[in-house]
Amino acid sequence: MKSGRLDISAFREEKNLVDSALMSFLLDPLSYGQPGGSLKLIESHMSFVFLIGDRAYKMKKPMKLDLLENLTLAQRRKNCLKELTLNRIMSPDIYLDVTPVTVDPDGAFQIGGSGEPVEWLVVMRRLNEEQLLDQAIPAETVTAQHISDLAETLAKFYRQTEIVSMDKTDAIANIRSLLDRNEQSLRNPDFGLLPTFVEPILRTVRGLLNDNQDLILARVEQGWIRDCHGDLRPEHVHLGPPVRLIDRLEFNDRLRWHDPFEEIADLGLECERLGAPWIYPLLMEELTRRLGVGISKGLLDFYAGLHGCVRARLAIEHIRYQPELTEYRREQTVDGLKLVAKYACRQL
C-alpha cells in the first residue's frame, strides 16, 4: 500500500498547497489495497473525496476563508474528528473513522501507517450515489414516500438536538451579519450581476427581517434555535432506505445554530432549483405535522429569502476559485435569486 515520494519538510511547513506527490498517491487504487480498482474523485470547494470500492475517503483542503481555517495539519485533524463526531449522530453506520496518511523516513506514503502523519482522512462507507436527492430529482425517482420518510428523520433529529441558548440581541445581530455578507458579494461588480435585478431583492429581504423581527425573537424565546445540520442540501440527503443525512457542518458551530424551518426553506428552494418544486410544500406539511408546531407565512418567506441569498452568494463566490465555471456559477446564482423573488419577494 505504499507509493509516492516527497520531501517531508514540505508538510512540516504546512503550506497552503496540496502536494502533487500526495495527490498522485491518493489517486492510485494501489494505495487503498485495490490494484486495478476503479477510483472516482469528487472535488468540492473545501475538500477532495476519493471513492473506491465500498469506501469514501475525504481530505480537507488546506485553506482559509472568513469562517473557516484549515491551513495547518492540526486544524484539519481537529475538523476531521469533529466531522466524524457530529455526523455519527445522524449516520452512525456511514462515518467510520479518521485515519492519517503517513510518510516513512524514506518518503513513502501509507494510509494508516506508523510513520509521521502528513494528512488526515475521514473514512466513510460509500453510499449509492443514485439515491442522493440531487441525483434522484433529475432522474425522477423521488416519491412522496421518500419525502415523508425524510420528514420523519428530520423531525426526530430536531426534537432531540440541542436547544441553543442565545441572547435575543445576538440572534438579530447574527442575521444582520449574514445579510451583510450576502449583500456584499451579490453587489460586487466583479461578478457581473445586474443591480436592477439584485437590488430590489436585497431590499425586500432586508425589509422582511424588520417585519418579522418580533416573530424571530419569539422563536428564540420558545427554544426553536437548535443545533441543526448547518448545510442541508439535496446532495447531503440519501434517500435510503433508511434516510441518512451526511456532511453536517463541522467547522463553525454558529453556522448550525438556527431555526429548523430555516433549513427546510433552504432545502426546499434547492430542490425546486433542481426541478422538483413539489418537494418544498410537502416537506413543510409533513414536518409541521410531526413537530406539532407551525410557522407564520411571513417568517417562512423571510427564511426562504435569507437562505436563498446565502446559496446565491456561495455560488457566485465560487467564481474566485473556479473561474472556468464562471458562466455556470452566474446562472446558478441568478436561478437562486429568481426563487428568492418567487417566495420572499412575491410582489416583484
Side-chain angles (χ1 to χ4, degrees):
M1 294 180 65
K2 295 184 179 182
S3 67
R5 301 208 174 256
L6 81 164
D7 176 4
I8 192 171
S9 65
F11 289 93
R12 290 182 178 140
E13 292 171 8
E14 298 177 304
K15 296 177 180 178
N16 184 19
L17 296 170
V18 178
D19 184 87
S20 59
L22 173 62
M23 284 299 294
S24 296
F25 169 79
L26 291 171
L27 288 169
D28 183 353
L30 179 63
S31 303
Y32 307 87
Q34 298 191 42
S38 175
L39 186 145
K40 179 178 180 180
L41 171 65
I42 297 177
E43 180 178 2
S44 70
H45 178 42
M46 294 187 292
S47 64
F48 296 103
V49 180
F50 305 89
L51 303 174
I52 186 165
D54 63 352
R55 292 290 184 267
Y57 299 81
K58 182 176 181 181
M59 183 180 81
K60 299 184 185 300
K61 294 180 180 178
M63 63 191 306
K64 182 177 181 179
L65 302 173
D66 288 345
L67 300 173
L68 162 72
E69 188 160 345
N70 264 337
L71 280 178
T72 70
L73 183 62
Q75 288 166 337
R76 295 195 294 280
R77 177 178 183 270
K78 177 183 176 181
N79 281 328
C80 282
L81 291 169
K82 191 164 185 179
E83 178 176 349
L84 183 75
T85 299
L86 286 172
N87 282 281
R88 277 183 167 175
I89 295 170
M90 310 180 80
S91 298
D93 60 329
I94 302 302
Y95 285 78
L96 304 177
D97 199 4
V98 170
T99 193
V101 179
T102 59
V103 64
D104 66 23
D106 293 329
F109 295 109
Q110 189 172 8
I111 294 176
S114 58
E116 181 172 351
V118 294
E119 197 49 83
W120 292 89
L121 306 172
V122 179
V123 185
M124 297 168 282
R125 194 180 309 280
R126 186 173 180 177
L127 292 166
N128 180 355
E129 293 173 63
E130 293 179 357
Q131 288 296 99
L132 292 171
L133 185 54
D134 70 317
Q135 301 297 313
I137 288 174
E140 299 184 343
T141 57
V142 189
T143 67
Q145 185 60 53
H146 284 135
I147 302 308
S148 179
D149 293 343
L150 172 59
E152 181 62 34
T153 298
L154 286 167
K156 180 179 179 181
F157 169 63
Y158 291 141
R159 285 194 298 265
Q160 294 177 349
T161 194
E162 179 185 355
I163 297 173
V164 178
S165 178
M166 183 177 292
D167 181 87
K168 291 188 291 185
T169 302
D170 288 341
I172 299 300
N174 289 342
I175 292 173
R176 292 193 185 280
S177 176
L178 190 54
L179 287 176
D180 290 343
R181 292 200 300 275
N182 291 343
E183 293 169 1
Q184 182 178 11
S185 291
L186 296 173
R187 286 172 172 154
N188 188 330
D190 293 342
F191 295 143
L193 298 175
L194 292 175
T196 52
F197 171 59
V198 171
E199 288 302 326
I201 293 174
L202 297 180
R203 284 197 302 269
T204 302
V205 174
R206 179 76 65 167
L208 282 171
L209 172 59
N210 297 330
D211 294 343
N212 290 280
Q213 184 166 311
D214 289 344
L215 294 176
I216 294 170
L217 295 179
R219 296 288 287 179
V220 174
E221 290 180 336
Q222 294 162 7
W224 279 108
I225 305 302
R226 305 285 170 102
D227 188 2
C228 296
H229 181 283
D231 194 20
L232 191 60
R233 291 182 277 158
E235 56 264 45
H236 297 159
V237 175
H238 190 270
L239 297 173
V243 172
R244 298 180 180 92
L245 306 177
I246 61 173
D247 269 6
R248 190 178 179 193
L249 190 146
E250 87 288 343
F251 59 84
N252 188 301
D253 290 343
R254 283 187 170 271
L255 295 181
R256 298 193 310 273
W257 296 350
H258 48 239
D259 189 327
F261 285 97
E262 291 184 58
E263 288 201 325
I264 301 310
D266 188 6
L267 178 61
L269 263 63
E270 284 294 288
C271 288
E272 181 162 348
R273 189 180 62 80
L274 292 173
W278 61 272
I279 288 178
Y280 186 15
L282 179 59
L283 185 57
M284 281 295 306
E285 177 186 345
E286 293 277 347
L287 187 65
T288 297
R289 178 169 62 83
R290 284 170 169 81
L291 289 178
V293 62
I295 188 171
S296 75
K297 177 179 172 298
L299 184 52
L300 190 61
D301 285 349
F302 170 65
Y303 286 159
L306 173 66
H307 286 276
C309 286
V310 169
R311 291 297 172 200
R313 168 174 61 84
L314 294 176
I316 205 71
E317 285 285 352
H318 272 75
I319 291 174
R320 299 184 191 277
Y321 311 99
Q322 296 176 301
E324 71 278 8
L325 297 179
T326 293
E327 289 307 312
Y328 167 74
R329 291 299 186 185
R330 190 176 287 118
E331 290 174 6
Q332 189 179 31
T333 300
V334 170
D335 288 345
L337 289 176
K338 286 179 179 177
L339 285 173
V340 172
K342 174 181 176 179
Y343 285 96
C345 316
R346 297 171 191 264
Q347 72 274 29
L348 295 179

